[in-house]
Structures are given as C-alpha cells and as structure tokens.
Amino acid sequence: MQRHADAWLPWVFLLAALPITYLIWQNEKHNAYVEQEIRFEYHAKEATGLIKRQLLEFEHTLIGIQSFFRASNFVSETEFNDYVSVLLQPNHLPGLRSIAFARYVDSTRPETYETLSTEWQSLAERMQPKEVRTFYAPIVYAAPNSSLLIASRQTKTLLDALGEMPIREVFQKSADLNTVIVSPVMQSIQGTQVNDCFLMQLPIYQNNTTNNNVTLRREHIYGWVLATINSELFFTEAIAPAENGLLGYAVLDGAENKQHGAIYKTHESQFQNKSVSAMFSKQYTIKAMGYEWELQAKSLPKFEQNLDYKRANQIGLLGIFISFSLTGILFLLAARIRAAEAMNKVNNQLNASEQRWQFALEGAGDGVWDWDIKSNQVVFSKRWKAMLGFEESEIKDDIEEWKKRVHPEDYVSVMQALDATLTGANDVYSNEHREQCKDGSWKWILDRGMVVSRDANGFPERMVGTHADISSLKKSEEAIWQHANFDSLTGLPNRRMFYAHLDQEIQKAKRSGLKVALIFLDLDGFKEVNDTLGHDQGDVLLKLTADRLVECMRGSDAVARLGGDEFVLIIEDIGHEDLNHVEIVAQKVLQTLSQPFQLSFETAYISASIGIAIFPDDALLIDDLMKSVDQAMYASKQKGGRCFSYFTARMQQVAQHRMQLSNDLRQAILHDQLYLEYQPIIDLHTGRVHKAEALCRWRHPTRGDISPAEFIPIAEDTRLIYEIGDWVFREALKQAVHWREHLSPNFQVTVNKSPIQFNSEDDKAHGWIDIAKAEHSPGKAIVVEITERLLLDPSSEVKQRLKAFQEIGMQVALDDFGTGYSSLSYLKKYKIDYLKIDKSFVANLSEGSDDLILCEAIIMMAHRLGMKVIAEGIETPQQRALLIRAGCDYAQGFLFAKSLSAKDLEAYTLQQNQAALVQ
C-alpha cells in the first residue's frame, strides 16, 4: 500500500501543481490587463479635463468682456471692437469665430430701445427673423465685421438673437442665473464650408444695479455678450495635448449625436478603421455650462503594444519548472515522509521568494519591505534602509522601526490607510508621508503595498510593499504653488492669493456680521528712487517696505503686493465699535514708511498715499470694493500724499466725472473741438517778437472752455495724448511755416511734448520728425519743450531722441526749470538750447529778493553753458526791468499778451515789431 502511494503521489502533486501554475499565470495576466486599463482611464480622463479647461478659458474671456461693460456707463462700437480685436487674433482662442453684443429691448421699457429706434413698431419691423413679440435682443455689435451675427447695414435690419426658441431659452436661463451658458449646436456657413458651431453667452446688467435674485436680474438685464465657437477647431485644440498616439478620441454633441457625426475625431488610420475593434474603449459624458458632450475613447495599437505579459509568462514558466522539478524530487524521495515534509517547506519558501521577487520587479529602483503580520517581523531591503541613510545592520526587522519614523502629522492618515488595506476595504495600500532619516531630516515617501496572503478566516498573514523617494517631486510642487501665489520679490501674497483670501474673509464676515477693512497704499516718491538709484535699489526698497508693513499688522491680518509699488492690507473681524483700529493701523503705516530707508549706499525717503474702504459699508462685491479703495487712495494722492482717506460717495462722483470727461475728450478729437492759441515770446533786448508758444485749448459743446490743467492729465492717463500731441505739432508746424514767410524768416513756435508721448515705445521720438519731413518744413521752425523729469531717465534713448530732433534743426527748451530736481549734471549731459525760468520765481521778483538772486544765478549759469533763457509769467514792468538787468534773453507773460488766436498773434507781432523799430 505504501509503495502504491509512493507511485501515484508525485502524479497527484503534478496534476495539482500545473492547474495552480495556470491560475497564477492567468491572474498575473489579468493584473497586467487591469494596470493597462487604469492607464487607459487616466489618459481618457485627462482629455475630458483638457476640454473643461478650454471651456473655462472661454468663460473667463466672456467674464472679462462683462467686466469691461460694467466698468463703463456706455461702451461704443469702436471701444467694443478695440477690446475684442485682441481676443480674435489667430491662435489666441482657437475656434473663436466671432464675438457680439446683443442689446435687450422691451416694448414696456422704452429706455431699452430709444437708442435703436424712436418707435417700437419701427424697431420690430427691422428685426430678423420677423416674429411678433414684446421683447427682442438685436445684435448691435459684432466682430469681426464679416461676422454672420450682424445683419446687413444696407437694409438696416437687426438680427434678433432670441429669434429661435431653443436659443431664446438658453439666453433667458443665462440671464436668470448670471452665468455662462452653452447653446445647442448650430450650423454656420463660411465660403463653401458648413461648420458646426455653438454659442456661449453671458448676461450684461445695467450698471450700478443690484442683481442678487432672478427678479432683479430680469428687471435690470441690459443685454448679452456672446461668442460663436467652431466646434471642430475648439475640440481639436483642446484635445491636442492628449493626442500622443496612445488613444483615439471622438467627440459627439450630447443632444445631436444620433443625427450628426462626430464633432471631432482622432486622425489615426487605426481609429478611423471601424472594422478593427479596440482592446479598450469607453464613453464619458462631459457636463459644463448647462450642456453635454460625449467623449468616446479607444485604445490604439501603440497603447495596446504596451500591455506586457512578459512577467506573467516568466512566472508561468517558473511555475512549470518548479512543478516538474518537485515532481522529480517526489519520485526520488517518495518513500521518505520526512523528505516529503522538507520538500513542502522548501516549496513554501520558494513560493514566498517568488512573490517577493515579483513585487520587487514592480517597484524596480525602490525600497522593498516584506511584513509577516502574525510575528510582526518585517524584512527591509538594503535599498529601503539606504533611502533613509542607514546601513543594512542599523535597523531591526521589526515593524515598529518603520512606525516610529513616520512624521507625527502624517501618522494618523498612514495608519488609517494601512488598516483599510488589512481589513480588505482597499485592495492596495498607497500613502504619501514623511519619514525621518538618520541625520534627523525628513524625506517624502510614496509607500505602496498589498496583502499577498490571508488565512482561512480572511485575516491577513503577509503584506509586501515598496518605498519610493518623492521628495524632489514635492519640492517642485511646493515651488510651483509658491510661484503661483506669492510675489517673488517681497515674498508677500500676490494678486491671485490676495483675491482668494479677501473672498474668504468676506464670506466669513457675511456669516459673522462683522466687517472687513481694506487699506490700499501707493508709495509716494518710489519712482524717483527707482529712476535715480536704479531698479536694483528700487527692488531693495520694495523688500524693506514689505517687511515694515508686515510689522504693522496683527497676526490674523494679511498684507499683499498687487504689483509695482502698490500694496494692500486686509484687516478682518472688525466690530462696529472697532473702526478706530483701522485708523491706528493706517497711522502706523504712514509713520513707519516715513522713516528713512537705508539702501546699499544711499538713504531713501518715501511716504504713502492710503485709501480705506469697508465691507459691507462701501461695497458688497470684491470688484466694487477694490474700485472704492482705489478711488480713496487716489483722493489721498491728490492731497499731496502722506495721508489716508476713507471712501466717500463724492469720490465715486469724481471718478464718474473723470470717466465722462475722458469719453468726451475722445469725441473732441473726432469733432474738431480742440484748437490752438499762441502766447508771444518777446526778445527783452530789442522788444521784438521772435517766438510764440503753442497752447492747446478745448471748447466743450455744453460745458464751454475746459482748462488744460483738467483735460491734459486725463489725456496722459488714457494715452490720448499721443493723438493730441501729434495734432498740435502738425498745426503748430503749419503756422510756423506761414509766419516765417509773412513775419520773420527766423520765427519759431515752441511745442510742449508730454513725457508720456516722449517715452512711448511706438513713438521713439521719430513721429514728429516724420511729420516735418512729410510737410517739407524746416526743423528750425520748431522748439520742442520738455520737462526736467524726463531727463532723469537713465537710459540712453532720451539722449538719442533729443539728438534726432536737433539733427533736423529743431531746438530743445527745458520748461519749468527750478521747480523739479534742478540737477546740474543733466545740463552738461544733454544739449539744451533754452532754459525757461518757472513763473513761481518771477511772481515775487523784487529788488534784493532771494528769487532775484536765484534768477541771476540761473541766467549766468545758462549763458556760461551756451544756453538762452526765457522767463515765464511776466506781469509787471518791474519784473521785466529786473530780468533785463540780470541779462535774461526772452520773456512771456500777461504784461505783453495773453494767449492769442493765430490771426491775433500775427497782428500783435506786426504791431510790436513796428513799435520796436520806432524805439
């Protein structure tokens, strides 16, 4: 009987071992397939994420246009086209066909259609398509001009954006929710091509209205801004980063996928071939902005080739080898039971070694650990120990050796993840945490593992895993986050982090009923430090300023740098009785910043203009609160700086007045409301008129004459000074040429050139030169007036531009000398033809006065340097006599004449020069 058992026992073992080997082989193949399926899922979801991200780009664009409308009482078609022209540049927003603005009109609200038609019936007849309703949304602006969204201008028709019921419902839903909504797919025709497009629209509400519920939104709706997007181009660009030849994609419209083909499809021949079935395929629904698309993903041969069964085959071959080897051993030692038991033990050890070797292959390059759970003993690989800086003999084979090195802040999450795997709640253990190295430092570890055996009751017996060092990855993630949220120069939160923090504080204030204060400050005198000492020292000054501002705040408050020399402070949790704390902080900031700053080799002095706004007293929305605090800061700046101002309703009125004046100034240029007057400049030695200063004037159609002191700063802020300055130069040049023919061949007209225009990258100081050459006019007819501030620019371009003027014969006059920095170094550095003494020195000119001494010194210095001197603001004969005695060359002022029209100046010059000849 024993010999019979010895004969069939090896065969029984072989018959059992081979199926087990087969099952293990199949299991490994299945695991490889599952891993590849996870990779497929990752790539497919990456494509859906890219589509959503592209949709957000278009949403942010519409929100930007909405903010553009909100920032102005009225947006003209020209302003609309100028704004959206950048967005319509090729490759800026791929797929974007056009952008339009549809104005909401309602028969019950005449003010909504008065600018389009005086009568509702007349307006309704112009609508296309024609449909009798009490409300329409005609498209009044559209770009580009070739856009199919705008109706024919010749027929004076208006395209109604609400003409189709599905589109109308989407528009109304967008207005009710105050959000971007996507319309159903439509077809557009461009040339001979028919393209699928979809619309994205966002409502525009009337300015200065509250729209926090559906009723108010419907009452205050002003119109919609809408974008037409080519579906194929949109999805082609969105999915392009995911097109790596591994997966093929097709996008179908969620509402129309049964009637139409795919909007987008991967251009892979294998993907286009429907007869070839993919190993992996899945459909995903993308829901965004009230619409749905379906993304179909299929694996391509390149991806399927990465499915590796090599490891499974190796394990299968090893299993077959072991099975036959053990069978042979059983044949040899079948008669000896003890030998059979020993062989079983060897078999178990070989199986354990096989599993350990298998998992080590999966984590190649990482540390490996093998945990016998019942004995609580763990085997750490040499690489595992070396990763933490230990020699192989320095760590015991005990699980506590690992646990005690886990960071205390990570310990709980690590144990929870480990318990979830041991209990069977998770199949795989994976956790990122910090572990302490031998030198005491901490290293980020990706710890992964799985239970490889359980007993008959399901309790875990053995677990195997790997350690991977991800410290470099964590540092990169931290650096990216730091760069995205903090200012690289000062280390303070940047604009992005500031807005996020302010939103959190406002939401908290809404719940608690407390207030939030914003202190917005702009540094006074920073530009001068930056220009004179250089940008490096300017950066040092900004860092020191940031440090001082942090010291002024409580630990719970926040300081941020918005850019340039602008900083903002958030003071949170302010009670109704604690508003004086805001003033204390503002005073502390002013006092702190007024102290001298020690730079590398210089001491700098600055101050700050501060604006204060309170939530919810001054505004309920973040954008409105920022406008309020900016206006308050501007009020402080107008007072001369080094003070703080609370936001008031009057500031809002001033800002609106300034904006209205800016809009009117644009119209003034178009409708020839600007004109020139000329103030004569007298030769003090002969009494003759040799020159005249051109002065720009504005006669408003309703407000009358507006002072240059009021509109010139606005022109500089809005950059309208470019167009105005060129116009003044053309008119002055024509007049100078005329007077050189009729009054004197050497007659000159001085023209002021704004520093804003002078420093323009587009101008390069050649614009006026080109005008003079085009008119074939002599350059000697013009004297260009500049200010001292311009000469503080350390760049060589200023000198080159002045030289370019002088090369064609133009002369250069330095205006308002003595009121600025009066640095003698730039008088030597730059070739200046005339110094103009500011009228503030002339006003109090008397015998023996300090002003007379200063004027005499300026005149003597200028003559020594080869310059002529012009005195401004002469009003009395005594002033003229003192200046003649001091040797001044020229003078202008009310004593001689106020500014005159060109015709009057010509008559005055003839009369004055004739009188000078008689004398």
Side-chain angles (χ1 to χ4, degrees), residues 461-679:
E461 294 182 324
R462 185 160 160 260
M463 189 173 182
V464 181
T466 63
H467 265 200
D469 183 357
I470 59 172
S471 299
S472 298
L473 178 61
K474 285 292 182 179
K475 288 181 180 178
S476 299
E477 292 175 352
E478 175 66 21
I480 293 172
W481 184 86
Q482 186 77 14
H483 184 268
N485 294 280
F486 288 87
D487 177 44
S488 59
L489 177 63
T490 63
L492 295 178
N494 59 13
R495 183 181 295 270
R496 180 175 181 271
M497 174 67 86
F498 160 72
Y499 273 95
H501 184 68
L502 179 58
D503 182 62
Q504 292 176 359
E505 292 304 323
I506 287 178
Q507 298 305 322
K508 186 171 70 174
K510 289 179 180 178
R511 294 191 298 269
S512 64
L514 298 176
K515 301 176 185 290
V516 178
L518 279 190
I519 297 180
F520 180 53
L521 62 96
D522 181 271
L523 300 182
D524 303 326
F526 172 75
K527 186 177 188 305
E528 287 73 14
V529 174
N530 212 33
D531 290 343
T532 55
L533 301 183
H535 295 291
D536 291 341
Q537 295 303 303
D539 290 345
V540 173
L541 181 57
L542 289 175
K543 293 178 184 177
L544 296 175
T545 300
D547 294 339
R548 293 190 184 184
L549 290 176
V550 172
E551 293 175 357
C552 293
M553 304 298 289
R554 300 176 303 185
S556 59
D557 297 330
V559 184
R561 181 189 178 209
L562 299 187
D565 59 349
E566 295 180 343
F567 297 85
V568 64
L569 289 65
I570 302 176
I571 304 178
E572 58 190 64
D573 298 335
I574 300 175
H576 297 281
E577 307 298 329
D578 297 334
L579 289 177
N580 62 327
H581 173 68
V582 179
E583 290 192 15
I584 293 174
V585 174
Q587 290 284 12
K588 189 175 182 180
V589 169
L590 289 175
Q591 182 180 1
T592 300
L593 296 184
S594 65
Q595 301 300 315
F597 288 82
Q598 185 59 48
L599 305 182
S600 298
F601 302 104
E602 300 284 346
T603 299
Y605 294 87
I606 62 172
S607 60
S609 297
I610 294 179
I612 302 174
I614 308 295
F615 171 87
D617 299 352
D618 298 327
L620 297 176
L621 301 177
I622 290 180
D623 290 343
D624 295 338
L625 191 63
M626 289 302 297
K627 290 178 184 177
S628 299
V629 77
D630 182 68
Q631 291 169 12
M633 185 278 294
Y634 183 77
S636 296
K637 187 74 74 175
Q638 293 293 95
K639 296 176 184 177
R642 200 173 182 178
C643 63
F644 64 87
S645 302
Y646 282 94
F647 171 77
T648 64
R650 172 62 181 164
M651 293 179 186
Q652 180 70 17
Q653 295 172 1
V654 171
Q656 291 175 351
H657 170 73
R658 186 176 174 86
M659 181 179 295
Q660 182 61 48
L661 207 60
S662 172
N663 293 333
D664 291 347
L665 187 56
R666 297 177 189 274
Q667 299 302 316
I669 299 172
L670 297 175
H671 296 94
D672 298 328
Q673 296 172 11
L674 302 179
Y675 64 96
L676 292 185
E677 288 186 343
Y678 302 87
Q679 186 173 39

Side-chain angles (χ1 to χ4, degrees), residues 32 42 92 172 202 243 345 378 444 532 699 747 800 860:
Y42 170 82
H92 182 72
Q172 291 174 342
L202 182 65
E243 289 286 9
K345 184 176 181 180
V378 61
W444 275 99
T532 55
R699 181 158 295 150
F747 200 93
Q800 293 173 357
M860 180 182 297

Side-chain angles (χ1 to χ4, degrees), residues 27 47 94-95 165 181 185 285 422 511 522 562 719 748 868:
N27 182 64
M165 177 59 74
I181 299 294
V185 169
T285 299
L422 293 176
R511 294 191 298 269
D522 181 271
L562 299 187
R719 299 304 187 262
Q748 292 179 307
K868 298 289 187 180

Side-chain angles (χ1 to χ4, degrees), residues 896-916:
F896 308 108
K898 297 182 179 180
S899 58
L900 305 170
S901 66
K903 180 179 180 181
D904 291 342
L905 180 86
E906 186 170 338
Y908 173 84
T909 301
L910 291 172
Q911 180 183 357
Q912 182 71 14
N913 291 350
Q914 183 65 33

Side-chain angles (χ1 to χ4, degrees), residues 704-717:
D705 289 335
I706 297 177
S707 170
E710 186 175 1
F711 74 82
I712 291 298
I714 295 176
E716 290 181 332
D717 290 343

Side-chain angles (χ1 to χ4, degrees), residues 859-872:
I859 293 169
M860 180 182 297
M861 175 192 66
H863 287 169
R864 289 290 183 89
L865 293 175
M867 305 176 197
K868 298 289 187 180
V869 179
I870 304 173
E872 297 180 298

